[in-house]
C-alpha cells in the first residue's frame, strides 16, 4: 500500500526536493559579507554617488542589509557587461553619459567620502581597464550611462528575484505548515499504526488460535464425514427397509380394509349376538337359580344317602405282605364276594385261626376257627389308594356341604394306618394317602362351586395326642419336637367350638401347602422319636381341616370340620413284657392307649345306640373330636389288618372292635376287646 499510495509526507518531501534546486539557484545570490556585497557596495559607490549623498551616511549599509540578495547578475564579469553594451543604442549611451556627468558634477563629498582613501578612486580605472575598446577611458559619461543601464537591468532582475524569493518564502512557509500538519498527521498515523500493529499482533494471536481451532474442526469434520458415510450407508439400508415396510403396510392396509369390511359384518352379527346373549343371560340366571336349587337338593339327597349308608361306617383294609415278611398260609384271610358276584365290592372278610391250645389238649391238631366279619366295605391287599379314596370321596363332599366328618384309621402297629392316611414313602403320586387326596378333592370342588357363587376357605391343624397330652405337629422354630404345652379349650365362653391352645392353625388353598404341612408333621414326629422310641405308634395323630363356605349372593353359610385321625397302635401289652425292667412307662402308655381307644369305641357305640350320655370327656381324643361325632356328623373307621398269620390275634381284636362300633352289628362272632 505504501508503495502504491504515496503518503502525504513523502509527497511534501518530494515537493520540497523539487523546489530545492530553485532555492539552490537562489543560493547563488550573494550572502551578506561576501565579496559580492563588497562589489555591490563598490558599484553603488560607483554608480549612485548622488543617492549616497542624498540618503546620508548609514543608508548604504541599511540598504545593504535590506537587500542582501542584490542583483545577481552583477556577478557577471565586466566582459559580459561590455558585450551587452554594444547592443545599446548610441543615443541612450550618450544620455547615460550625460546623467553620469551630471551626477559627477553635483557630487559633494558625504560623510563617508572623507573616509575614502585616495586610493579608492583607482576602482573605476579597473572597470575602465576592462572595456578599453568600447568606451574610451575618458568617456566617463558613456561608461556611467552603460553602468546605469546595467544597474537598471540588475534592479529589474532583483525585483523579479525578490518576487520569486517572496513566492518561495511563501511556499516555504506553506511547506513548513504542511510539514507541521503532516508531522501531526504522522504522529496520529504512528499512534494509529501502533494501535493497528497491536491489533495486528492480537489478530495474529487470534489467527493462531483460530488455525488450531480450524485444525481441530477439520479433524472433527473428517470423523464427521466418516460418520456421515456410515450414516448414509445406514440410511440406504433403512430406505430399503422402509420400502419393504411400505410394501407390507400396503398389504396390511388391504387386509385391514378387508378386515374392516368383515368387522362391519361382524358388528351386525355382534348386535344380534348381544340380543341373543341377553336372552341367554336371562336363561342363565334362571338356570343358575335352578342349579342352586339342584345343588341344595343334591346336598339334601347326598346327606340322605350318607345317612342311609349309615352315619357311622366301617371299612376294612388289609395291607399286602411286604417284601421279607413270611407268606401267610393260603386261606388265612378270605374275602368272599358280595351277592352281585366277584364284580360286587367286597364287604366281608373271614379270618382263620387255629387254636393251638385246643389242639395241644386233645393231641389232635384242631381245625382252624373261621371268623367272619361284615363291614361297609372290605379292601383286600391289592386295593390301591385311589380305590380307597373313591369310597370316601362322597364323605369328603359331605364335609363341603356342611356336615362334620371324622375318618379314623384303627389297627395294630404296622397294619397300614399311616399308609392309608398320609400315604406311602417316596414321591409316587399313586401312593398318596387320604389326607392329600381329600384336600385336593376339596379344593377342586370348591373351585367348581365358586362358579355358583360359593366361596370356601380352609384352615388346617395337625396335633398328636400322646399319653393324654396334646402336642402340635406343625410347630416350628424352638417349639419343634416339643410337646405337652397344648390344651383343648372352648373358643369362648358358651361356645361349642373347640380349639387347641398353642397349636398352629394354617390357612391352606393348594396341594403344595398341604404337602408342606405333612412334611413338617413328619419332621416333628422324627424329632420326638429320638427322644422316645416309637412314640408315633403309641400316639394319635389328628389332622383337622376347618371348612368355611359362604354364598354372599344368597346370604348362605356352611362350615364343618373334616377330621382325619391316624390312631395309636391298638396292640395289647404283651403280658410277658409288662413287668420287665423299664416297662412300667410302656404299661402306662398302653393303658392310656387302650383307655382312649376303648373310650372312642364307647362314644361311638353310645352315639349309635342314641344314648343320652356320650362319654366324650373320658379321653382327650374324644373330647377334641366331640363336635365331629354324633348328630349330623359322618364317621368312617378304617380297620387296618396285617396279612400275616403271626398278627392273627391282633387282627381278630381289631376286627372285633370295628364290628362293635359298626351299626348294625356284623353277624360274625363278636368278642369285646381285652
Ligand atoms: P401303621 O401306621 O399302622 O403302623 P404303616 O402305615 O406304617 O403302619 O405301614 C407299615 C408298612 O407297611 C409300611 O412300610 C407301609 O409302607 C406298608 N404298607 C402299609 N399298607 C400298605 C399298602 N396298602 N400297600 C403297600 N404297603 C403298605
Ligand atoms: Mg403309623
Amino acid at each position: 500500500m505504501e508503495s502504491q499510495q504515496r503518503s502525504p509526507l513523502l509527497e511534501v518531501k518530494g515537493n520540497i526536493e523539487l523546489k530545492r534546486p530553485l532555492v539552490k539557484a537562489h543560493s547563488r545570490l550573494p550572502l551578506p559579507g561576501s565579496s559580492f556585497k563588497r562589489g555591490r557596495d563598490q558599484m553603488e559607490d560607483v554608480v549612485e554617488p548622488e543617492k549616497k549623498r542624498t540618503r546620508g551616511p548609514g543608508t548604504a549599509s541599511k540598504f545593504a542589509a535590506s537587500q542582501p540578495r542584490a542583483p545577481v547578475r552583477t556577478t557577471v564579469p565586466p566582459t559580459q557587461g561590455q558585450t551587452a553594451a554594444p547592443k545599446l543604442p548610441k543615443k541612450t549611451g550618450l544620455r547615460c553619459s550625460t546623467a553620469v556627468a551630471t551626477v559627477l558634477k553635483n557630487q559633494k563629498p558625504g560623510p563617508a567620502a572623507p573616509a575614502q582613501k585616495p586610493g579608492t578612486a583607482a576602482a573605476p580605472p579597473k572597470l575602465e581597464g576592462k572595456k578599453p575598446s568600447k568606451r574610451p577611458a575618458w568617456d566617463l559619461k558613456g561608461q556611467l550611462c552603460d553602468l546605469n543601464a546595467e544597474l537598471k537591468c540588475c534592479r529589474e532582475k532583483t525585483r523579479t528575484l525578490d518576487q520569486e524569493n517572496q513566492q518561495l518564502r511563501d511556499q516555504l512557509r506553506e511547506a513548513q505548515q504542511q510539514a507541521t500538519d503532516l508531522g501531526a498527521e504522522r504522529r496520529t498515523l504512528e499512534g494509529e499504526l501502533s494501535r493497528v500493529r497491536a491489533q495486528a499482533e492480537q489478530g495474529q494471536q487470534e489467527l493462531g488460535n483460530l488455525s488450531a481451532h480450524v485444525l481441530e474442526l477439520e479433524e472433527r469434520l473428517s470423523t464427521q464425514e466418516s460418520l456421515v458415510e456410515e450414516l448414509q450407508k445406514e440410511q440406504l439400508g433403512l430406505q430399503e427397509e422402509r420400502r419393504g415396510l411400505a410394501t407390507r403396510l400396503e398389504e396390511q392396509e388391504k387386509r385391514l380394509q378387508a378386515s374392516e369390511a368383515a368387522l362391519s359384518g361382524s358388528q351386525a352379527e355382534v348386535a344380534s349376538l348381544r340380543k341373543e346373549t341377553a336372552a341367554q343371560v336371562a336363561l342363565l340366571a334362571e338356570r343358575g337359580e335352578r342349579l342352586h336349587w339342584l345343588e341344595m337338593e343334591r346336598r339334601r339327597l347326598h346327606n340322605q344317602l350318607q345317612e342311609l349308608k349309615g352315619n357311622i361306617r366301617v371299612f376294612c383294609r388289609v395291607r399286602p405282605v411286604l417284601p421279607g415278611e413270611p407268606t401267610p398260609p393260603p386261606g388265612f384271610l378270605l374275602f368272599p364276594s358280595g351277592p352281585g358276584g366277584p364284580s360286587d365290592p367286597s364287604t366281608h372278610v373271614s379270618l382263620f385261626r387255629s387254636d393251638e391250645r385246643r389242639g395241644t389238649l386233645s393231641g389232635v391238631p384242631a381245625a382252624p376257627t373261621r371268623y367272619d366279619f361284615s363291614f361297609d366295605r372290605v379292601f383286600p391287599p391289592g386295593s390301591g389308594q385311589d380305590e380307597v379314596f373313591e369310597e370316601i370321596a362322597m364323605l369328603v363332599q359331605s364335609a363341603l356341604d356342611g356336615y362334620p366328618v371324622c375318618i379314623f384309621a384303627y389297627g395294630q402297629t404296622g397294619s397300614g394306618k399311616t399308609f392309608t392316611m398320609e400315604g406311602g414313602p417316596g414321591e409316587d403320586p399313586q401312593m398318596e394317602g387320604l389326607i392329600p387326596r381329600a384336600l385336593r378333592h376339596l379344593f377342586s370342588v370348591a373351585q367348581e362351586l365358586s362358579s355358583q357363587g360359593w366361596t370356601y376357605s380352609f384352615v388346617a391343624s395337625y396335633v398328636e395326642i400322646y399319653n393324654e397330652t396334646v402336642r402340635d405337629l406343625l410347630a416350628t422354630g424352638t417349639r419343634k419336637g416339643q410337646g405337652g404345652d397344648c390344651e383343648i379349650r372352648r373358643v369362648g365362653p358358651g361356645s361349642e367350638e373347640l380349639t387347641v391352645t398353642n397349636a398352629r392353625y394354617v390357612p391352606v388353598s393348594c396341594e403344595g401347602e398341604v404337602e408342606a404341612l405333612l412334611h413338617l408333621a413328619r419332621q416333628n414326629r422324627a424329632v420326638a422319636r429320638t427322644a422316645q422310641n416309637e412314640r408315633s405308634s403309641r400316639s394319635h395323630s389328628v389332622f383337622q381341616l376347618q371348612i368355611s363356605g359362604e354364598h354372599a349372593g344368597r346370604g348362605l353359610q356352611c362350615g364343618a370340620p373334616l377330621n382325619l385321625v391316624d390312631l395309636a397302635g391298638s396292640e395289647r401289652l404283651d403280658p410277658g413284657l409288662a413287668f420287665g425292667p423299664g416297662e412300667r412307662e410302656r404299661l402306662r402308655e398302653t393303658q392310656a392307649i387302650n383307655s382312649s381307644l376303648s373310650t372312642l369305641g364307647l362314644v361311638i357305640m353310645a352315639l349309635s345306640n342314641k344314648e343320652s350320655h356320650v362319654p366324650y370327656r373320658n379321653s382327650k381324643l374324644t373330647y377334641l373330636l366331640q363336635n365331629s361325632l354324633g348328630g349330623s356328623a359322618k364317621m368312617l373307621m378304617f380297620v387296618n389288618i396285617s396279612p400275616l398269620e403271626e398278627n392273627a390275634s391282633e387282627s381278630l381284636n381289631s376286627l372285633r372292635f370295628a364290628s362293635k362300633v359298626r351299626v348294625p352289628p356284623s353277624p360274625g362272632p363278636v368278642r369285646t376287646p381285652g
Side-chain angles (χ1 to χ4, degrees):
M1 273 182 64
E2 278 181 35
S3 60
Q4 285 172 357
Q5 271 185 337
R6 200 163 176 184
S7 81
L9 191 68
L10 291 175
E11 222 170 273
V12 170
K13 273 184 185 174
N15 288 344
I16 292 166
E17 275 167 1
L18 281 171
K19 284 165 189 174
R20 207 166 271 164
L22 283 173
V23 177
K24 270 184 182 173
H26 291 288
S27 70
R28 272 181 270 154
L29 290 169
L31 294 165
S34 71
S35 61
F36 204 67
K37 190 188 170 186
R38 273 197 310 268
R40 191 184 168 193
D41 286 346
Q42 282 169 353
M43 259 193 284
E44 274 185 34
D45 286 342
V46 174
V47 178
E48 288 184 308
E50 214 169 349
K51 265 189 187 173
K52 274 188 181 179
R53 278 193 298 272
T54 50
R55 284 172 191 166
T59 317
S61 62
K62 199 178 174 181
F63 177 78
S66 62
Q67 301 285 332
R69 287 166 193 137
V72 177
R73 304 295 176 207
T74 49
T75 52
V76 178
T79 45
Q80 281 179 336
Q82 281 170 350
T83 51
K87 288 175 187 173
L88 291 168
K90 273 187 179 176
K91 207 177 172 180
T92 317
L94 283 171
R95 229 185 290 150
C96 284
S97 300
T98 314
V100 171
T102 313
V103 170
L104 285 173
K105 206 169 94 181
N106 298 331
Q107 195 175 12
K108 285 176 187 176
Q116 200 173 8
K117 288 177 183 176
T120 45
K126 261 188 186 177
L127 285 167
E128 282 168 14
K130 282 179 186 175
K131 302 171 196 172
S133 55
K134 299 289 174 180
R135 299 241 185 219
W138 50 267
D139 193 5
L140 287 173
K141 207 174 176 180
Q143 283 179 11
L144 187 63
C145 194
D146 290 346
L147 284 170
N148 273 333
E150 204 175 329
L151 181 64
K152 197 178 173 185
C153 214
C154 284
R155 275 182 183 157
E156 193 62 36
K157 279 181 185 173
T158 303
R159 208 169 31 251
T160 317
L161 286 170
D162 276 346
Q163 279 173 0
E164 211 174 309
N165 191 20
Q166 190 58 44
Q167 275 176 8
L168 285 170
R169 278 178 187 194
D170 290 346
Q171 276 181 5
L172 182 65
R173 250 196 319 278
E174 215 174 289
Q176 277 172 345
Q177 186 59 42
Q178 257 181 2
T180 315
D181 292 350
L182 287 169
E185 201 175 328
R186 184 189 163 188
R187 275 191 296 282
T188 317
L189 287 169
E190 274 172 356
E192 218 168 289
L193 185 67
S194 61
R195 261 202 316 280
V196 165
R197 271 187 189 143
Q199 275 178 4
E201 265 174 38
Q202 200 182 332
Q204 282 288 346
Q205 214 168 333
E206 269 173 36
L207 190 67
N209 291 344
L210 282 171
S211 15
H213 190 56
V214 163
L215 279 175
E216 196 188 317
L217 284 174
E218 275 172 356
E219 257 176 53
R220 278 169 62 185
L221 185 68
S222 64
T223 43
Q224 292 287 335
E225 275 170 357
S226 58
L227 201 70
V228 164
E229 261 176 49
E230 272 175 40
L231 284 171
Q232 278 171 347
K233 276 183 199 167
E234 208 175 312
Q235 193 190 11
L236 283 174
L238 286 171
Q239 278 171 352
E240 194 61 36
E241 205 175 316
R242 189 190 155 191
R243 276 195 288 279
L245 284 171
T247 325
R248 277 176 60 192
L249 186 68
E250 262 177 43
E251 282 170 24
Q252 294 285 344
E253 274 174 356
K254 277 181 197 165
R255 282 170 59 188
L256 184 69
Q257 279 170 359
S259 297
E260 275 172 353
L263 182 70
S264 58
S266 297
Q267 276 171 343
E269 209 175 315
V270 164
S272 74
L273 281 172
R274 275 209 181 116
K275 272 186 198 169
E276 218 172 295
T277 307
Q280 295 281 345
V281 165
L283 197 70
L284 208 63
E286 196 186 308
R287 289 207 177 143
E289 198 65 33
R290 173 125 184 95
L291 199 65
H292 178 69
W293 181 84
L294 285 172
E295 170 63 19
M296 298 320 280
E297 191 60 13
R298 183 201 62 75
R299 286 186 186 194
R300 195 182 64 79
L301 290 171
H302 180 83
N303 191 47
Q304 228 171 36
L305 180 70
Q306 297 303 311
E307 278 175 359
L308 282 173
K309 279 185 175 179
N311 273 356
I312 301 171
R313 276 180 280 170
V314 178
F315 289 179
C316 175
R317 186 180 193 186
V318 181
R319 75 159 171 86
V321 177
L322 299 173
E325 286 182 337
T327 314
F332 166 62
L333 283 169
L334 288 178
F335 305 93
S337 50
S343 61
D344 217 21
S346 177
T347 53
H348 292 83
V349 60
S350 302
L351 184 145
F352 288 85
R353 192 179 72 160
S354 52
D355 194 335
E356 284 169 12
R357 281 178 300 175
R358 271 199 293 162
T360 318
L361 285 171
S362 61
V364 183
T369 314
R370 175 179 175 152
Y371 298 90
D372 292 319
F373 297 93
S374 173
F375 298 106
D376 296 283
R377 180 77 200 264
V378 173
F379 295 99
S383 310
Q385 298 279 63
D386 48 349
E387 209 179 320
V388 174
F389 178 71
E390 219 174 276
E391 274 300 314
I392 66 138
M394 300 295 270
L395 214 57
V396 173
Q397 179 69 54
S398 285
L400 212 56
D401 293 346
Y403 300 96
V405 174
C406 247
I407 300 173
F408 296 98
Y410 179 95
Q412 72 174 111
T413 302
S415 60
K417 299 182 297 294
T418 306
F419 182 90
T420 301
M421 283 298 170
E422 289 188 18
E427 301 290 310
D428 187 358
Q430 286 296 315
M431 294 292 183
E432 272 187 344
L434 294 185
I435 297 175
R437 283 173 193 266
L439 270 91
R440 193 186 312 133
H441 179 76
L442 285 172
F443 295 146
S444 121
V445 176
Q447 184 67 36
E448 280 171 28
L449 286 173
S450 69
S451 64
Q452 290 180 35
W454 286 95
T455 316
Y456 280 94
S457 64
F458 306 93
V459 178
S461 67
Y462 207 178
V463 296
E464 181 187 69
I465 301 170
Y466 168 74
N467 221 358
E468 289 303 278
T469 56
V470 184
R471 190 168 71 100
D472 185 14
L473 286 177
L474 302 182
T476 52
T478 50
R479 289 183 61 242
K480 214 168 180 178
Q482 301 288 309
D485 56 347
C486 298
E487 286 298 330
I488 303 160
R489 294 264 185 274
R490 292 194 180 278
V491 170
S495 168
E496 287 293 306
E497 207 181 322
L498 295 169
T499 185
V500 178
T501 58
N502 296 321
R504 280 177 72 211
Y505 285 81
V506 185
V508 286
S509 55
C510 65
E511 285 175 65
E513 288 171 357
V514 177
E515 268 302 316
L517 292 187
L518 293 180
H519 181 72
L520 179 62
R522 272 196 288 273
Q523 275 187 333
N524 272 327
R525 276 203 211 100
V527 172
R529 202 174 293 140
T530 54
Q532 270 169 304
N533 192 36
E534 291 196 8
R535 172 180 161 151
S536 64
S537 67
R538 284 187 275 280
S539 62
H540 312 295
S541 297
V542 185
F543 182 89
Q544 284 190 306
L545 186 76
Q546 187 60 47
I547 303 167
S548 309
E550 190 184 9
H551 195 297
R554 296 178 190 277
L556 295 173
Q557 279 184 335
C558 64
L562 169 68
N563 303 278
L564 298 151
V565 187
D566 183 354
L567 291 168
S570 61
E571 61 273 14
R572 291 165 302 169
L573 185 66
D574 187 335
L577 293 170
F579 305 104
E583 290 297 322
R584 201 176 292 273
E585 181 65 20
R586 190 147 176 225
L587 181 67
R588 233 187 21 242
E589 273 178 21
T590 313
Q591 280 169 347
I593 294 162
N594 287 340
S595 161
S596 69
L597 284 177
S598 57
T599 301
L600 178 66
L602 288 172
V603 164
I604 296 167
M605 278 189 283
L607 288 169
S608 59
N609 295 335
K610 299 196 182 347
E611 288 172 17
S612 57
H613 175 71
V614 182
Y616 292 116
R617 284 181 170 269
N618 284 4
S619 78
K620 289 274 167 72
L621 178 69
T622 49
Y623 181 47
L624 178 65
L625 298 174
Q626 65 172 314
N627 293 325
S628 303
L629 298 169
S632 62
K634 321 280 176 242
M635 196 209 85
L636 173 73
M637 181 174 281
F638 276 93
V639 56
N640 289 93
I641 300 295
S642 161
L644 306 180
E645 195 185 19
E646 65 190 52
N647 297 131
S649 180
E650 287 298 337
S651 299
L652 202 54
N653 277 333
S654 298
L655 289 166
R656 282 170 180 159
F657 175 83
S659 300
K660 228 165 47 169
V661 299
R662 185 173 175 260
V663 182
S666 66
V670 174
R671 287 184 199 175
T672 49

PDB file of all heavy atoms in Angstrom, residues 333-348:
ATOM      1  N   LEU A 333     -56.762-115.511  55.279  1.00  0.00           N
ATOM      2  CA  LEU A 333     -57.771-114.450  55.170  1.00  0.00           C
ATOM      3  C   LEU A 333     -58.567-114.675  53.892  1.00  0.00           C
ATOM      4  O   LEU A 333     -57.978-114.909  52.822  1.00  0.00           O
ATOM      5  CB  LEU A 333     -57.103-113.067  55.117  1.00  0.00           C
ATOM      6  CG  LEU A 333     -56.574-112.497  56.439  1.00  0.00           C
ATOM      7  CD1 LEU A 333     -55.715-111.269  56.162  1.00  0.00           C
ATOM      8  CD2 LEU A 333     -57.719-112.111  57.378  1.00  0.00           C
ATOM      9  N   LEU A 334     -59.853-114.572  53.990  1.00  0.00           N
ATOM     10  CA  LEU A 334     -60.697-114.749  52.804  1.00  0.00           C
ATOM     11  C   LEU A 334     -61.563-113.509  52.611  1.00  0.00           C
ATOM     12  O   LEU A 334     -61.965-112.864  53.588  1.00  0.00           O
ATOM     13  CB  LEU A 334     -61.593-115.988  52.956  1.00  0.00           C
ATOM     14  CG  LEU A 334     -60.906-117.363  52.869  1.00  0.00           C
ATOM     15  CD1 LEU A 334     -61.957-118.461  53.087  1.00  0.00           C
ATOM     16  CD2 LEU A 334     -60.230-117.559  51.512  1.00  0.00           C
ATOM     17  N   PHE A 335     -61.808-113.212  51.361  1.00  0.00           N
ATOM     18  CA  PHE A 335     -62.630-112.041  51.042  1.00  0.00           C
ATOM     19  C   PHE A 335     -63.791-112.491  50.154  1.00  0.00           C
ATOM     20  O   PHE A 335     -63.724-112.374  48.923  1.00  0.00           O
ATOM     21  CB  PHE A 335     -61.787-110.966  50.331  1.00  0.00           C
ATOM     22  CG  PHE A 335     -60.561-110.562  51.128  1.00  0.00           C
ATOM     23  CD1 PHE A 335     -59.332-111.179  50.912  1.00  0.00           C
ATOM     24  CD2 PHE A 335     -60.663-109.597  52.116  1.00  0.00           C
ATOM     25  CE1 PHE A 335     -58.210-110.816  51.656  1.00  0.00           C
ATOM     26  CE2 PHE A 335     -59.540-109.237  52.859  1.00  0.00           C
ATOM     27  CZ  PHE A 335     -58.308-109.844  52.644  1.00  0.00           C
ATOM     28  N   PRO A 336     -64.817-113.032  50.774  1.00  0.00           N
ATOM     29  CA  PRO A 336     -65.937-113.532  49.965  1.00  0.00           C
ATOM     30  C   PRO A 336     -66.579-112.399  49.188  1.00  0.00           C
ATOM     31  O   PRO A 336     -66.727-111.278  49.703  1.00  0.00           O
ATOM     32  CB  PRO A 336     -66.905-114.092  51.000  1.00  0.00           C
ATOM     33  CG  PRO A 336     -66.192-114.083  52.301  1.00  0.00           C
ATOM     34  CD  PRO A 336     -65.079-113.126  52.214  1.00  0.00           C
ATOM     35  N   SER A 337     -66.911-112.701  47.931  1.00  0.00           N
ATOM     36  CA  SER A 337     -67.526-111.662  47.100  1.00  0.00           C
ATOM     37  C   SER A 337     -68.964-111.425  47.530  1.00  0.00           C
ATOM     38  O   SER A 337     -69.607-112.287  48.155  1.00  0.00           O
ATOM     39  CB  SER A 337     -67.472-112.058  45.625  1.00  0.00           C
ATOM     40  OG  SER A 337     -67.959-113.357  45.463  1.00  0.00           O
ATOM     41  N   GLY A 338     -69.505-110.281  47.176  1.00  0.00           N
ATOM     42  CA  GLY A 338     -70.833-109.868  47.590  1.00  0.00           C
ATOM     43  C   GLY A 338     -71.903-110.612  46.823  1.00  0.00           C
ATOM     44  O   GLY A 338     -71.596-111.457  45.966  1.00  0.00           O
ATOM     45  N   PRO A 339     -73.148-110.303  47.098  1.00  0.00           N
ATOM     46  CA  PRO A 339     -74.240-111.007  46.426  1.00  0.00           C
ATOM     47  C   PRO A 339     -74.237-110.808  44.911  1.00  0.00           C
ATOM     48  O   PRO A 339     -74.727-111.652  44.177  1.00  0.00           O
ATOM     49  CB  PRO A 339     -75.497-110.390  47.054  1.00  0.00           C
ATOM     50  CG  PRO A 339     -75.058-109.160  47.769  1.00  0.00           C
ATOM     51  CD  PRO A 339     -73.627-109.308  48.058  1.00  0.00           C
ATOM     52  N   GLY A 340     -73.632-109.759  44.438  1.00  0.00           N
ATOM     53  CA  GLY A 340     -73.574-109.474  42.984  1.00  0.00           C
ATOM     54  C   GLY A 340     -72.468-110.202  42.272  1.00  0.00           C
ATOM     55  O   GLY A 340     -72.195-109.905  41.122  1.00  0.00           O
ATOM     56  N   GLY A 341     -71.786-111.132  42.931  1.00  0.00           N
ATOM     57  CA  GLY A 341     -70.690-111.845  42.289  1.00  0.00           C
ATOM     58  C   GLY A 341     -69.356-111.157  42.499  1.00  0.00           C
ATOM     59  O   GLY A 341     -69.253-110.203  43.288  1.00  0.00           O
ATOM     60  N   PRO A 342     -68.265-111.662  41.790  1.00  0.00           N
ATOM     61  CA  PRO A 342     -66.916-111.117  42.004  1.00  0.00           C
ATOM     62  C   PRO A 342     -66.806-109.632  41.688  1.00  0.00           C
ATOM     63  O   PRO A 342     -65.933-108.938  42.231  1.00  0.00           O
ATOM     64  CB  PRO A 342     -66.048-111.929  41.038  1.00  0.00           C
ATOM     65  CG  PRO A 342     -66.857-113.110  40.658  1.00  0.00           C
ATOM     66  CD  PRO A 342     -68.300-112.730  40.793  1.00  0.00           C
ATOM     67  N   SER A 343     -67.682-109.149  40.795  1.00  0.00           N
ATOM     68  CA  SER A 343     -67.604-107.725  40.445  1.00  0.00           C
ATOM     69  C   SER A 343     -68.170-106.845  41.559  1.00  0.00           C
ATOM     70  O   SER A 343     -67.886-105.654  41.629  1.00  0.00           O
ATOM     71  CB  SER A 343     -68.387-107.466  39.150  1.00  0.00           C
ATOM     72  OG  SER A 343     -69.753-107.823  39.355  1.00  0.00           O
ATOM     73  N   ASP A 344     -68.912-107.446  42.462  1.00  0.00           N
ATOM     74  CA  ASP A 344     -69.504-106.689  43.556  1.00  0.00           C
ATOM     75  C   ASP A 344     -68.427-106.345  44.578  1.00  0.00           C
ATOM     76  O   ASP A 344     -67.604-107.195  44.932  1.00  0.00           O
ATOM     77  CB  ASP A 344     -70.584-107.575  44.200  1.00  0.00           C
ATOM     78  CG  ASP A 344     -71.779-106.748  44.643  1.00  0.00           C
ATOM     79  OD1 ASP A 344     -71.930-105.626  44.102  1.00  0.00           O
ATOM     80  OD2 ASP A 344     -72.528-107.218  45.508  1.00  0.00           O
ATOM     81  N   PRO A 345     -68.410-105.097  45.035  1.00  0.00           N
ATOM     82  CA  PRO A 345     -67.391-104.750  46.020  1.00  0.00           C
ATOM     83  C   PRO A 345     -67.532-105.607  47.270  1.00  0.00           C
ATOM     84  O   PRO A 345     -68.643-105.842  47.754  1.00  0.00           O
ATOM     85  CB  PRO A 345     -67.683-103.281  46.329  1.00  0.00           C
ATOM     86  CG  PRO A 345     -68.556-102.790  45.245  1.00  0.00           C
ATOM     87  CD  PRO A 345     -69.295-103.973  44.716  1.00  0.00           C
ATOM     88  N   SER A 346     -66.397-106.043  47.714  1.00  0.00           N
ATOM     89  CA  SER A 346     -66.399-106.947  48.856  1.00  0.00           C
ATOM     90  C   SER A 346     -66.795-106.220  50.135  1.00  0.00           C
ATOM     91  O   SER A 346     -66.385-105.086  50.387  1.00  0.00           O
ATOM     92  CB  SER A 346     -65.001-107.560  48.997  1.00  0.00           C
ATOM     93  OG  SER A 346     -64.974-108.361  50.122  1.00  0.00           O
ATOM     94  N   THR A 347     -67.589-106.873  50.960  1.00  0.00           N
ATOM     95  CA  THR A 347     -67.977-106.303  52.254  1.00  0.00           C
ATOM     96  C   THR A 347     -67.721-107.303  53.382  1.00  0.00           C
ATOM     97  O   THR A 347     -68.024-107.022  54.536  1.00  0.00           O
ATOM     98  CB  THR A 347     -69.474-105.917  52.253  1.00  0.00           C
ATOM     99  OG1 THR A 347     -70.239-107.044  51.854  1.00  0.00           O
ATOM    100  CG2 THR A 347     -69.760-104.735  51.340  1.00  0.00           C
ATOM    101  N   HIS A 348     -67.172-108.456  53.002  1.00  0.00           N
ATOM    102  CA  HIS A 348     -66.936-109.494  54.011  1.00  0.00           C
ATOM    103  C   HIS A 348     -65.472-109.897  54.049  1.00  0.00           C
ATOM    104  O   HIS A 348     -64.794-109.863  53.025  1.00  0.00           O
ATOM    105  CB  HIS A 348     -67.781-110.740  53.692  1.00  0.00           C
ATOM    106  CG  HIS A 348     -69.247-110.494  53.861  1.00  0.00           C
ATOM    107  ND1 HIS A 348     -70.049-109.906  52.884  1.00  0.00           N
ATOM    108  CD2 HIS A 348     -70.072-110.764  54.918  1.00  0.00           C
ATOM    109  CE1 HIS A 348     -71.271-109.824  53.322  1.00  0.00           C
ATOM    110  NE2 HIS A 348     -71.332-110.346  54.562  1.00  0.00           N
TER     111      HIS A 348
END
